[in-house]
Amino acid sequence: MPVLVMKFGGTSVATLDRIKRAAKRVGVEVAKGYDVIVIVSAMSGETNKLVGFVGETSPLYDAREYDAVVSSGENVTAGLMALTLQEMDVPARSWQGWQVPVKTTSAHSSARIEEIPTDNITAKFGEGMKVAVVAGFQGVSPEGRITTLGRGGSDTTAVAFAAAFEAERCDIYTDVDGVYTTDPRVTDKARKLDKIAFEEMLELASLGAKVLQTRSVELAMRYKVRLRVLSSFEEQSDEAGTLVCAEEEIMESNVVAGVAFSRDEAKMTLISVADRPGIAAAIFGPLSEAGVNVDMIVQNISEEGRTDMTFSCPVDQVARAEKAMEEAKAAGDINFHDLVADQNVAKVSIVGIGMRSHAGVAAKMFETLRDEGVNIKVITTSEIKVSVLIDRKYMELAVQSLHDAFGLDQAA
């Protein structure tokens, strides 16, 4: 039988009624002749509650026990989904990560999947089971301990299962009905995309779009897993949602596929740093060790052997970055005059595989922002994206004007 993977996020399984609704969708696919692997998240809000319990019990907690606690939310949902399907006369059983087993690294709370043997589940399909309900977000370490994959890890679980079982497709059910050209809450002209290329989705996910977890898209691109993003709250057709697929499957697309943004950014500048070989390593090595997620980097022209180094990072990592730089300065690894943090900036990006073959996209972006009186502080580019750092108060204006300028409300 062909295999289909269906993943239901926390809002899709938030109540027993929603679990029943999701189970009915699974039943429809079983009736079409699929063997179905269902990946479930914890019920909405449950993981946050469990994380809170851990923090209250042990502020400096043992990461192994943290994983044991927070993974339990998915176990509950998997059991309830299997019971619901059984009540519908659909042969189903639940699977925890260690039962499959989902083999991961030992990095508790941020483990990576290393292997998913298919033998156990395939054998059960052969015995008449039609649905394997797998607890997402979790696995088992080489030491036999429960591990978790980090926030959004159920998306990664679903894609990994689709790759391992060579599934026909991986359907991700969430609270939105697909991938949009930008956040519909920012502009009502945002349009749902029928298809989007893996590379575009990966850029959008990494730049602030919250629809899919970045690691899941990376995995889908590597193993060519066709992803479909759907709403669990709307009636479905075969053409519903957004298909995330290889570029070759998309006949025509706009030059720019979407506008992404990240509201909570900070711009940090080290003023008057010695301009010498190894200075970048001396700055960004300590930042990496401190767990600071550096994004944009700009180095100014050197004057009299000194230069300024600017980088961006999430605003909640500013204190960590400041501490790392002061410690590096105290150790004599770097010397700078001052460290200035601007915590009122946002990142706005345009993304599209069409940029590869069209000149003038960046110029059009900069002209659009100029015409709206939006000053650009930092610019970075890649083959299929242009990102700018601007004052946060102009973020929505920038997103709306760029969405209009590139005609994203119109299909190609």
Side-chain angles (χ1 to χ4, degrees):
M1 290 291 183
V3 174
L4 183 69
V5 174
M6 303 172 74
K7 182 261 177 178
F8 293 94
T11 54
S12 303
V13 291
T15 64
L16 291 178
D17 283 343
R18 289 185 180 180
I19 289 173
K20 287 177 184 176
R21 181 185 296 206
K24 288 178 182 176
R25 295 194 189 284
V26 176
V28 168
E29 300 300 341
V30 170
K32 292 178 182 177
Y34 287 106
D35 284 338
V36 181
I37 298 173
V38 175
I39 310 296
V40 291
S41 298
M43 299 167 88
S44 184
E46 192 65 21
T47 301
N48 286 340
K49 185 173 76 175
L50 295 169
V51 169
F53 287 160
V54 172
E56 284 184 43
T57 304
S58 175
L60 299 174
Y61 54 76
D62 180 335
R64 294 166 298 184
E65 302 307 335
Y66 170 93
D67 278 358
V69 173
V70 301
S71 63
S72 64
E74 279 72 15
N75 297 342
V76 171
T77 315
L80 292 172
M81 176 67 80
L83 287 170
T84 304
L85 287 163
Q86 290 170 11
E87 287 296 306
M88 295 164 52
D89 294 325
V90 176
R93 63 159 284 191
S94 65
W95 298 74
Q96 296 179 17
W98 62 271
Q99 293 173 296
V100 176
V102 179
K103 297 182 180 180
T104 74
T105 62
S106 300
H108 287 277
S109 79
S110 59
R112 300 188 80 83
I113 296 172
E114 294 193 321
E115 184 188 1
I116 299 178
T118 59
D119 299 355
N120 288 344
I121 287 179
T122 300
K124 288 298 180 182
F125 279 142
E127 294 171 11
M129 179 185 74
K130 296 304 298 177
V131 182
V133 184
V134 179
F137 174 62
Q138 62 176 247
V140 60
S141 72
E143 297 78 25
R145 299 283 312 191
I146 295 170
T147 57
T148 63
L149 310 180
R151 282 308 179 89
S154 293
D155 283 353
T156 302
T157 304
V159 175
F161 269 84
F165 284 83
E166 298 180 350
E168 188 173 299
R169 197 178 63 246
C170 178
D171 287 348
I172 306 284
Y173 285 86
T174 181
D175 53 0
V176 294
D177 62 346
V179 180
Y180 279 73
T181 49
T182 196
D183 190 330
R185 291 170 295 186
V186 173
T187 172
D188 56 10
K189 295 181 182 179
R191 178 176 56 85
K192 185 174 73 68
L193 298 165
D194 294 327
K195 292 182 179 181
I196 187 169
F198 288 125
E199 288 175 90
E200 292 172 327
M201 190 66 244
L202 185 57
E203 289 282 12
L204 289 171
S206 66
L207 293 167
K210 302 283 196 299
V211 180
L212 287 171
Q213 189 213 36
T214 306
R215 276 168 61 192
S216 70
V217 184
E218 287 175 348
L219 207 58
M221 185 163 69
R222 187 184 314 157
Y223 293 102
K224 297 290 187 286
V225 172
R226 298 170 86 242
L227 286 175
R228 193 166 61 147
V229 180
L230 301 145
S231 169
S232 55
F233 305 116
E234 295 187 4
E235 295 302 317
Q236 304 298 346
S237 68
D238 290 340
E239 303 302 316
T242 299
L243 184 68
V244 187
C245 56
E247 186 179 334
E248 297 76 39
E249 287 194 53
I250 302 173
M251 294 291 290
E252 289 288 337
S253 62
N254 288 324
V255 176
V256 172
V259 182
F261 58 87
S262 177
R263 193 183 307 270
D264 299 320
E265 297 287 319
K267 177 172 76 79
M268 306 195 70
T269 303
L270 289 166
I271 297 173
S272 189
V273 183
D275 189 9
R276 58 171 173 80
I279 189 63
I283 293 170
F284 295 106
L287 289 170
S288 174
E289 290 169 11
V292 177
N293 185 19
V294 172
D295 182 18
M296 302 172 159
I297 302 172
V298 176
Q299 184 174 355
N300 290 348
I301 296 171
S302 177
E303 289 186 20
E304 300 177 359
R306 312 292 289 183
T307 186
D308 295 344
M309 188 79 78
T310 296
F311 61 91
S312 68
C313 68
V315 73
D316 61 0
Q317 296 178 8
V318 167
R320 204 182 303 171
E322 290 174 334
K323 185 171 183 281
M325 291 296 90
E326 292 298 340
E327 288 176 352
K329 184 178 183 180
D333 298 329
I334 55 174
N335 185 12
F336 54 89
H337 180 266
D338 199 6
L339 175 56
V340 178
D342 181 355
Q343 299 189 46
N344 291 300
V345 295
K347 179 173 61 180
V348 176
S349 311
I350 55 171
V351 174
I353 52 177
M355 291 188 197
R356 291 192 188 121
S357 54
H358 287 77
V361 176
K364 185 173 183 178
M365 178 183 192
F366 303 150
E367 288 165 3
T368 300
L369 295 176
R370 177 203 63 197
D371 292 345
E372 296 291 344
V374 178
N375 184 45
I376 298 172
K377 296 173 179 285
V378 181
I379 302 167
T380 58
T381 65
S382 75
E383 194 178 28
I384 66 166
K385 77 125 192 279
V386 182
S387 295
V388 296
L389 218 56
I390 61 173
D391 284 330
R392 191 175 298 148
K393 64 183 179 181
Y394 294 122
M395 188 198 75
E396 294 194 2
L397 172 63
V399 171
Q400 291 163 358
S401 58
L402 290 169
H403 196 275
D404 289 345
F406 288 100
L408 295 185
D409 56 332
Q410 303 293 324

Short mmCIF file of all heavy atoms in Angstrom, two decimals, residues 75-131:
data_model
loop_
_atom_site.label_atom_id
_atom_site.label_comp_id
_atom_site.label_asym_id
_atom_site.label_seq_id
_atom_site.Cartn_x
_atom_site.Cartn_y
_atom_site.Cartn_z
N ASN A 75 2.70 12.03 23.93
CA ASN A 75 2.24 10.66 24.23
C ASN A 75 0.74 10.63 24.49
O ASN A 75 0.03 9.73 24.03
CB ASN A 75 2.97 10.11 25.46
CG ASN A 75 4.47 9.99 25.25
OD1 ASN A 75 4.93 9.99 24.11
ND2 ASN A 75 5.21 9.91 26.34
N VAL A 76 0.24 11.63 25.22
CA VAL A 76 -1.19 11.72 25.51
C VAL A 76 -1.99 11.85 24.22
O VAL A 76 -2.98 11.14 23.98
CB VAL A 76 -1.48 12.90 26.46
CG1 VAL A 76 -2.99 13.13 26.59
CG2 VAL A 76 -0.85 12.66 27.82
N THR A 77 -1.56 12.78 23.36
CA THR A 77 -2.29 13.01 22.10
C THR A 77 -2.29 11.76 21.22
O THR A 77 -3.31 11.42 20.62
CB THR A 77 -1.68 14.18 21.31
OG1 THR A 77 -1.42 15.27 22.19
CG2 THR A 77 -2.60 14.64 20.21
N ALA A 78 -1.14 11.09 21.14
CA ALA A 78 -1.04 9.89 20.29
C ALA A 78 -2.02 8.81 20.78
O ALA A 78 -2.72 8.19 19.97
CB ALA A 78 0.39 9.36 20.30
N GLY A 79 -2.08 8.63 22.09
CA GLY A 79 -3.01 7.63 22.63
C GLY A 79 -4.47 7.99 22.36
O GLY A 79 -5.27 7.13 21.97
N LEU A 80 -4.80 9.25 22.55
CA LEU A 80 -6.19 9.69 22.32
C LEU A 80 -6.57 9.58 20.85
O LEU A 80 -7.70 9.19 20.51
CB LEU A 80 -6.37 11.13 22.81
CG LEU A 80 -6.30 11.34 24.33
CD1 LEU A 80 -6.29 12.83 24.67
CD2 LEU A 80 -7.47 10.65 25.03
N MET A 81 -5.63 9.92 19.95
CA MET A 81 -5.91 9.80 18.52
C MET A 81 -6.11 8.34 18.12
O MET A 81 -7.05 8.01 17.36
CB MET A 81 -4.76 10.42 17.70
CG MET A 81 -4.90 10.27 16.19
SD MET A 81 -6.28 11.22 15.49
CE MET A 81 -5.53 12.86 15.44
N ALA A 82 -5.28 7.43 18.65
CA ALA A 82 -5.42 6.02 18.33
C ALA A 82 -6.77 5.48 18.83
O ALA A 82 -7.47 4.74 18.13
CB ALA A 82 -4.26 5.23 18.93
N LEU A 83 -7.15 5.88 20.06
CA LEU A 83 -8.44 5.45 20.60
C LEU A 83 -9.60 5.97 19.75
O LEU A 83 -10.58 5.24 19.49
CB LEU A 83 -8.58 5.96 22.04
CG LEU A 83 -7.73 5.25 23.11
CD1 LEU A 83 -7.80 6.02 24.42
CD2 LEU A 83 -8.21 3.81 23.29
N THR A 84 -9.50 7.22 19.31
CA THR A 84 -10.56 7.82 18.49
C THR A 84 -10.71 7.07 17.18
O THR A 84 -11.83 6.78 16.73
CB THR A 84 -10.26 9.30 18.23
OG1 THR A 84 -10.09 9.98 19.47
CG2 THR A 84 -11.38 9.96 17.45
N LEU A 85 -9.59 6.72 16.55
CA LEU A 85 -9.63 5.97 15.29
C LEU A 85 -10.20 4.57 15.51
O LEU A 85 -10.99 4.08 14.69
CB LEU A 85 -8.22 5.89 14.69
CG LEU A 85 -7.71 7.21 14.08
CD1 LEU A 85 -6.20 7.17 13.91
CD2 LEU A 85 -8.38 7.49 12.74
N GLN A 86 -9.83 3.94 16.60
CA GLN A 86 -10.39 2.62 16.90
C GLN A 86 -11.90 2.67 17.06
O GLN A 86 -12.62 1.75 16.62
CB GLN A 86 -9.73 2.05 18.16
CG GLN A 86 -8.27 1.65 17.99
CD GLN A 86 -7.59 1.34 19.31
OE1 GLN A 86 -8.24 1.21 20.35
NE2 GLN A 86 -6.26 1.19 19.28
N GLU A 87 -12.40 3.75 17.69
CA GLU A 87 -13.85 3.93 17.83
C GLU A 87 -14.53 4.08 16.47
O GLU A 87 -15.73 3.83 16.33
CB GLU A 87 -14.15 5.15 18.71
CG GLU A 87 -13.86 4.94 20.19
CD GLU A 87 -14.75 3.86 20.79
OE1 GLU A 87 -15.99 3.97 20.65
OE2 GLU A 87 -14.21 2.89 21.37
N MET A 88 -13.77 4.51 15.46
CA MET A 88 -14.28 4.65 14.09
C MET A 88 -14.06 3.36 13.29
O MET A 88 -14.25 3.34 12.07
CB MET A 88 -13.57 5.81 13.38
CG MET A 88 -13.85 7.17 13.98
SD MET A 88 -12.63 8.43 13.41
CE MET A 88 -12.70 8.23 11.62
N ASP A 89 -13.63 2.28 13.97
CA ASP A 89 -13.34 1.00 13.32
C ASP A 89 -12.18 1.08 12.34
O ASP A 89 -12.12 0.33 11.36
CB ASP A 89 -14.58 0.43 12.61
CG ASP A 89 -15.68 0.06 13.60
OD1 ASP A 89 -15.34 -0.40 14.71
OD2 ASP A 89 -16.87 0.25 13.27
N VAL A 90 -11.25 2.00 12.60
CA VAL A 90 -10.02 2.09 11.81
C VAL A 90 -8.91 1.45 12.64
O VAL A 90 -8.63 1.91 13.75
CB VAL A 90 -9.65 3.56 11.50
CG1 VAL A 90 -8.31 3.62 10.77
CG2 VAL A 90 -10.75 4.22 10.67
N PRO A 91 -8.29 0.37 12.16
CA PRO A 91 -7.21 -0.29 12.93
C PRO A 91 -6.02 0.66 13.14
O PRO A 91 -5.33 1.02 12.18
CB PRO A 91 -6.82 -1.49 12.05
CG PRO A 91 -7.98 -1.70 11.13
CD PRO A 91 -8.57 -0.34 10.89
N ALA A 92 -5.81 1.07 14.37
CA ALA A 92 -4.77 2.05 14.67
C ALA A 92 -4.12 1.70 15.99
O ALA A 92 -4.74 1.09 16.87
CB ALA A 92 -5.36 3.46 14.74
N ARG A 93 -2.85 2.11 16.14
CA ARG A 93 -2.21 2.01 17.43
C ARG A 93 -1.21 3.16 17.57
O ARG A 93 -0.74 3.70 16.57
CB ARG A 93 -1.52 0.67 17.66
CG ARG A 93 -0.39 0.34 16.72
CD ARG A 93 0.54 -0.72 17.29
NE ARG A 93 1.42 -0.15 18.31
CZ ARG A 93 2.47 -0.80 18.82
NH1 ARG A 93 2.73 -2.04 18.42
NH2 ARG A 93 3.23 -0.23 19.72
N SER A 94 -0.94 3.53 18.82
CA SER A 94 -0.01 4.63 19.06
C SER A 94 1.41 4.11 19.21
O SER A 94 1.63 2.97 19.63
CB SER A 94 -0.41 5.39 20.32
OG SER A 94 -0.28 4.58 21.47
N TRP A 95 2.38 4.98 18.85
CA TRP A 95 3.80 4.66 18.95
C TRP A 95 4.53 5.83 19.59
O TRP A 95 4.41 6.96 19.14
CB TRP A 95 4.40 4.43 17.57
CG TRP A 95 3.81 3.28 16.80
CD1 TRP A 95 2.59 3.23 16.20
CD2 TRP A 95 4.43 2.01 16.56
NE1 TRP A 95 2.39 2.03 15.60
CE2 TRP A 95 3.51 1.25 15.79
CE3 TRP A 95 5.66 1.45 16.90
CZ2 TRP A 95 3.80 -0.04 15.36
CZ3 TRP A 95 5.94 0.17 16.46
CH2 TRP A 95 5.02 -0.58 15.71
N GLN A 96 5.28 5.53 20.65
CA GLN A 96 6.19 6.54 21.19
C GLN A 96 7.53 6.43 20.47
O GLN A 96 7.81 5.44 19.80
CB GLN A 96 6.33 6.35 22.70
CG GLN A 96 5.02 6.58 23.44
CD GLN A 96 5.13 6.37 24.94
OE1 GLN A 96 6.21 6.37 25.51
NE2 GLN A 96 3.98 6.19 25.59
N GLY A 97 8.35 7.48 20.62
CA GLY A 97 9.59 7.54 19.87
C GLY A 97 10.48 6.31 20.05
O GLY A 97 11.05 5.78 19.08
N TRP A 98 10.57 5.80 21.28
CA TRP A 98 11.45 4.67 21.56
C TRP A 98 10.92 3.36 20.98
O TRP A 98 11.67 2.40 20.78
CB TRP A 98 11.66 4.51 23.08
CG TRP A 98 10.40 4.20 23.85
CD1 TRP A 98 9.55 5.10 24.40
CD2 TRP A 98 9.88 2.91 24.15
NE1 TRP A 98 8.50 4.46 25.03
CE2 TRP A 98 8.69 3.11 24.89
CE3 TRP A 98 10.28 1.61 23.87
CZ2 TRP A 98 7.90 2.05 25.35
CZ3 TRP A 98 9.49 0.55 24.33
CH2 TRP A 98 8.32 0.78 25.06
N GLN A 99 9.60 3.30 20.69
CA GLN A 99 9.02 2.07 20.17
C GLN A 99 9.26 1.90 18.67
O GLN A 99 9.26 0.78 18.18
CB GLN A 99 7.52 2.05 20.44
CG GLN A 99 7.16 1.95 21.92
CD GLN A 99 5.67 2.10 22.14
OE1 GLN A 99 5.10 3.15 21.87
NE2 GLN A 99 5.05 1.05 22.65
N VAL A 100 9.47 3.03 17.96
CA VAL A 100 9.63 2.92 16.50
C VAL A 100 10.90 2.16 16.12
O VAL A 100 10.79 1.20 15.33
CB VAL A 100 9.56 4.33 15.86
CG1 VAL A 100 9.82 4.25 14.35
CG2 VAL A 100 8.19 4.99 16.14
N PRO A 101 12.13 2.45 16.56
CA PRO A 101 12.52 3.62 17.35
C PRO A 101 13.03 4.76 16.47
O PRO A 101 13.64 4.53 15.43
CB PRO A 101 13.69 3.05 18.17
CG PRO A 101 14.32 2.04 17.24
CD PRO A 101 13.23 1.47 16.39
N VAL A 102 12.77 6.00 16.94
CA VAL A 102 13.34 7.19 16.30
C VAL A 102 14.70 7.42 16.95
O VAL A 102 14.78 7.89 18.08
CB VAL A 102 12.42 8.42 16.49
CG1 VAL A 102 13.05 9.65 15.84
CG2 VAL A 102 11.03 8.17 15.91
N LYS A 103 15.75 7.05 16.26
CA LYS A 103 17.10 7.14 16.83
C LYS A 103 17.66 8.55 16.65
O LYS A 103 17.67 9.07 15.53
CB LYS A 103 18.03 6.12 16.16
CG LYS A 103 17.60 4.67 16.38
CD LYS A 103 18.57 3.69 15.73
CE LYS A 103 18.14 2.25 15.96
NZ LYS A 103 19.07 1.29 15.33
N THR A 104 18.09 9.16 17.74
CA THR A 104 18.58 10.54 17.69
C THR A 104 19.95 10.65 18.34
O THR A 104 20.47 9.69 18.93
CB THR A 104 17.62 11.50 18.44
OG1 THR A 104 17.77 11.29 19.86
CG2 THR A 104 16.17 11.28 18.05
N THR A 105 20.51 11.86 18.26
CA THR A 105 21.73 12.17 19.01
C THR A 105 21.39 12.31 20.49
O THR A 105 20.21 12.26 20.87
CB THR A 105 22.36 13.47 18.51
OG1 THR A 105 21.41 14.55 18.73
CG2 THR A 105 22.69 13.41 17.02
N SER A 106 22.40 12.52 21.30
CA SER A 106 22.19 12.65 22.75
C SER A 106 22.01 14.09 23.20
O SER A 106 22.00 14.36 24.41
CB SER A 106 23.39 12.05 23.49
OG SER A 106 23.55 10.69 23.17
N ALA A 107 21.85 15.04 22.26
CA ALA A 107 21.71 16.46 22.61
C ALA A 107 20.30 16.72 23.13
O ALA A 107 19.40 17.07 22.36
CB ALA A 107 22.01 17.35 21.41
N HIS A 108 20.11 16.54 24.44
CA HIS A 108 18.77 16.66 25.02
C HIS A 108 18.19 18.06 24.81
O HIS A 108 18.89 19.07 24.91
CB HIS A 108 18.81 16.31 26.50
CG HIS A 108 18.96 14.84 26.73
ND1 HIS A 108 17.91 13.97 26.71
CD2 HIS A 108 20.07 14.10 26.95
CE1 HIS A 108 18.35 12.74 26.92
NE2 HIS A 108 19.65 12.79 27.07
N SER A 109 16.92 18.10 24.48
CA SER A 109 16.10 19.29 24.16
C SER A 109 16.40 19.87 22.78
O SER A 109 15.67 20.75 22.31
CB SER A 109 16.23 20.39 25.23
OG SER A 109 17.43 21.13 25.08
N SER A 110 17.43 19.38 22.11
CA SER A 110 17.70 19.83 20.72
C SER A 110 18.34 18.71 19.92
O SER A 110 19.28 18.93 19.15
CB SER A 110 18.61 21.06 20.74
OG SER A 110 19.84 20.77 21.39
N ALA A 111 17.86 17.49 20.13
CA ALA A 111 18.43 16.31 19.45
C ALA A 111 18.14 16.36 17.95
O ALA A 111 17.19 17.01 17.50
CB ALA A 111 17.85 15.04 20.06
N ARG A 112 18.96 15.66 17.20
CA ARG A 112 18.76 15.54 15.75
C ARG A 112 18.52 14.07 15.41
O ARG A 112 19.15 13.16 15.98
CB ARG A 112 19.96 16.08 14.99
CG ARG A 112 20.24 17.54 15.29
CD ARG A 112 21.32 18.12 14.39
NE ARG A 112 20.81 18.48 13.08
CZ ARG A 112 20.19 19.63 12.81
NH1 ARG A 112 19.98 20.51 13.76
NH2 ARG A 112 19.77 19.89 11.59
N ILE A 113 17.61 13.84 14.49
CA ILE A 113 17.27 12.47 14.09
C ILE A 113 18.42 11.89 13.27
O ILE A 113 18.91 12.52 12.33
CB ILE A 113 15.97 12.45 13.27
CG1 ILE A 113 14.79 12.91 14.14
CG2 ILE A 113 15.70 11.05 12.72
CD1 ILE A 113 13.49 13.10 13.38
N GLU A 114 18.84 10.67 13.62
CA GLU A 114 19.91 10.00 12.88
C GLU A 114 19.38 8.87 12.02
O GLU A 114 19.90 8.61 10.95
CB GLU A 114 20.97 9.48 13.86
CG GLU A 114 21.71 10.61 14.58
CD GLU A 114 22.96 10.14 15.29
OE1 GLU A 114 22.92 9.03 15.88
OE2 GLU A 114 23.96 10.88 15.27
N GLU A 115 18.33 8.18 12.49
CA GLU A 115 17.80 7.05 11.73
C GLU A 115 16.40 6.71 12.21
O GLU A 115 16.10 6.82 13.40
CB GLU A 115 18.72 5.83 11.90
CG GLU A 115 18.31 4.62 11.06
CD GLU A 115 19.10 3.36 11.39
OE1 GLU A 115 19.97 3.41 12.29
OE2 GLU A 115 18.83 2.33 10.77
N ILE A 116 15.54 6.31 11.25
CA ILE A 116 14.22 5.79 11.60
C ILE A 116 14.08 4.43 10.91
O ILE A 116 13.72 4.36 9.72
CB ILE A 116 13.08 6.73 11.16
CG1 ILE A 116 13.21 8.09 11.85
CG2 ILE A 116 11.72 6.11 11.49
CD1 ILE A 116 12.15 9.09 11.45
N PRO A 117 14.37 3.32 11.60
CA PRO A 117 14.16 2.00 11.02
C PRO A 117 12.66 1.79 10.74
O PRO A 117 11.82 2.15 11.56
CB PRO A 117 14.66 1.03 12.10
CG PRO A 117 15.50 1.87 13.02
CD PRO A 117 14.91 3.25 12.97
N THR A 118 12.37 1.21 9.61
CA THR A 118 10.95 1.07 9.21
C THR A 118 10.36 -0.30 9.57
O THR A 118 9.16 -0.50 9.42
CB THR A 118 10.82 1.28 7.68
OG1 THR A 118 11.64 0.30 7.01
CG2 THR A 118 11.29 2.67 7.27
N ASP A 119 11.19 -1.22 10.07
CA ASP A 119 10.75 -2.61 10.22
C ASP A 119 9.53 -2.78 11.11
O ASP A 119 8.58 -3.49 10.76
CB ASP A 119 11.90 -3.47 10.78
CG ASP A 119 13.11 -3.47 9.86
OD1 ASP A 119 13.01 -2.89 8.77
OD2 ASP A 119 14.15 -4.04 10.24
N ASN A 120 9.55 -2.15 12.29
CA ASN A 120 8.47 -2.38 13.26
C ASN A 120 7.11 -1.93 12.74
O ASN A 120 6.11 -2.67 12.83
CB ASN A 120 8.78 -1.67 14.58
CG ASN A 120 9.90 -2.34 15.35
OD1 ASN A 120 10.26 -3.48 15.06
ND2 ASN A 120 10.47 -1.63 16.31
N ILE A 121 7.05 -0.72 12.21
CA ILE A 121 5.77 -0.19 11.72
C ILE A 121 5.34 -0.93 10.46
O ILE A 121 4.16 -1.28 10.30
CB ILE A 121 5.86 1.33 11.49
CG1 ILE A 121 5.89 2.05 12.85
CG2 ILE A 121 4.70 1.83 10.63
CD1 ILE A 121 6.02 3.56 12.76
N THR A 122 6.28 -1.22 9.56
CA THR A 122 5.95 -1.94 8.33
C THR A 122 5.38 -3.32 8.66
O THR A 122 4.41 -3.78 8.02
CB THR A 122 7.19 -2.08 7.43
OG1 THR A 122 7.67 -0.78 7.09
CG2 THR A 122 6.86 -2.85 6.16
N ALA A 123 5.94 -3.98 9.65
CA ALA A 123 5.43 -5.30 10.05
C ALA A 123 3.99 -5.20 10.54
O ALA A 123 3.15 -6.06 10.21
CB ALA A 123 6.32 -5.89 11.14
N LYS A 124 3.68 -4.17 11.31
CA LYS A 124 2.32 -3.98 11.81
C LYS A 124 1.34 -3.66 10.68
O LYS A 124 0.18 -4.09 10.69
CB LYS A 124 2.28 -2.89 12.88
CG LYS A 124 2.92 -3.32 14.20
CD LYS A 124 2.17 -4.50 14.82
CE LYS A 124 2.80 -4.93 16.14
NZ LYS A 124 2.10 -6.10 16.70
N PHE A 125 1.81 -2.87 9.69
CA PHE A 125 0.96 -2.62 8.51
C PHE A 125 0.65 -3.96 7.83
O PHE A 125 -0.48 -4.20 7.38
CB PHE A 125 1.66 -1.68 7.52
CG PHE A 125 1.56 -0.22 7.86
CD1 PHE A 125 2.63 0.64 7.64
CD2 PHE A 125 0.39 0.32 8.37
CE1 PHE A 125 2.54 1.99 7.94
CE2 PHE A 125 0.28 1.67 8.67
CZ PHE A 125 1.37 2.51 8.46
N GLY A 126 1.65 -4.83 7.77
CA GLY A 126 1.46 -6.14 7.14
C GLY A 126 0.47 -7.00 7.90
O GLY A 126 -0.17 -7.89 7.32
N GLU A 127 0.32 -6.74 9.21
CA GLU A 127 -0.62 -7.51 10.03
C GLU A 127 -2.03 -6.92 10.05
O GLU A 127 -2.91 -7.43 10.75
CB GLU A 127 -0.09 -7.59 11.47
CG GLU A 127 1.21 -8.40 11.59
CD GLU A 127 1.83 -8.28 12.97
OE1 GLU A 127 1.15 -7.74 13.88
OE2 GLU A 127 2.98 -8.71 13.15
N GLY A 128 -2.22 -5.81 9.31
CA GLY A 128 -3.57 -5.24 9.22
C GLY A 128 -3.75 -3.88 9.85
O GLY A 128 -4.83 -3.28 9.72
N MET A 129 -2.75 -3.39 10.57
CA MET A 129 -2.85 -2.02 11.09
C MET A 129 -2.91 -1.06 9.90
O MET A 129 -2.16 -1.20 8.94
CB MET A 129 -1.62 -1.69 11.96
CG MET A 129 -1.61 -0.26 12.52
SD MET A 129 -0.06 0.12 13.43
CE MET A 129 1.08 0.30 12.04
N LYS A 130 -3.82 -0.08 9.96
CA LYS A 130 -3.93 0.90 8.87
C LYS A 130 -3.34 2.25 9.23
O LYS A 130 -2.96 3.03 8.35
CB LYS A 130 -5.41 1.09 8.49
CG LYS A 130 -6.09 -0.14 7.93
CD LYS A 130 -5.35 -0.72 6.71
CE LYS A 130 -5.31 0.24 5.54
NZ LYS A 130 -4.54 -0.32 4.40
N VAL A 131 -3.28 2.57 10.54
CA VAL A 131 -2.76 3.88 10.96
C VAL A 131 -1.79 3.70 12.13
O VAL A 131 -2.14 3.08 13.15
CB VAL A 131 -3.90 4.84 11.40
CG1 VAL A 131 -3.31 6.20 11.79
CG2 VAL A 131 -4.94 5.00 10.29
#
